[in-house]
Each structure stands twice: as C-alpha cells, then as structure tokens.
Amino acid sequence: MSRQRSLEKIAASEYVSIGELVRLTGSRYSTLKFYTEEGILPFEQEEENLTRRFPREKTIARINEIQELKRQGYSISEIKKLLYK
C-alpha cells in the first residue's frame, strides 16, 4: 500500500508537503527546495526536525509567480527583490 495521498486529497488539503507540491505543479524537487532555501517559498515548520508544511493555494500561486518572472528573464535575486518590495 502506497503512503502517498491521492491527488484528490492533496488538492483539497490546506497544507501540502514539498513532494506533494512537486506532483501538483510539475516542478522539480530540487527547484522547490532551492526556492525554499532562498526564502521565496513560504512554509511552516513546528519544530526544526519536523516536515515543512506549505499552505497549498498560496504556495502554488507563488510558484506560478516565480516561474512567470523567470520566463520574463529575471534572476532569483531580482525575483526576491520583486516579491519582497
């Protein structure tokens, strides 16, 4: 039995894991991890060793925003500045 939640369940939940975001957005895990480390993907983490939880709707919107800015030719450091004006 797979431990993965169905896409239906993921799509209905308020919070998702980074792995579930990969499935929802088609982004690479390494890309999302990089965005998280750069501070441009918001997440919640109750304790340091616990799984990061991402607010699904807000995070997917942010990923789309980052991807659009990248398509327009902005670098990550420029995107950071634009997102946190």
Side-chain angles (χ1 to χ4, degrees):
M1 176 89 182
S2 165
R3 279 189 34 145
Q4 279 193 336
R5 298 195 294 172
S6 69
L7 269 177
E8 224 170 81
K9 273 208 176 97
I10 295 168
S13 50
E14 191 179 349
Y15 289 97
V16 293
S17 69
I18 194 166
E20 290 169 341
L21 279 172
V22 167
R23 292 172 66 199
L24 288 170
T25 64
S27 300
R28 293 205 321 262
Y29 181 87
S30 57
T31 302
L32 297 183
K33 196 158 171 40
F34 174 69
Y35 292 166
T36 303
E37 285 160 4
E38 286 296 311
I40 55 178
L41 264 197
F43 65 88
E44 293 175 17
Q45 196 173 17
E46 288 171 16
E47 288 171 41
E48 214 159 292
N49 58 351
L50 289 178
T51 308
R52 293 173 174 176
R53 300 177 339 143
F54 297 84
R56 181 181 50 81
E57 287 179 14
K58 198 165 132 188
T59 307
I60 291 172
R62 172 57 62 88
I63 291 167
N64 292 335
E65 195 178 359
I66 294 167
Q67 288 172 339
E68 181 52 38
L69 289 167
K70 284 189 73 172
R71 267 193 294 279
Q72 292 173 27
Y74 289 100
S75 70
I76 289 296
S77 61
E78 290 169 325
I79 289 172
K80 260 179 162 166
K81 288 181 188 127
L82 289 167
L83 294 175
Y84 294 105
K85 269 196 245 182

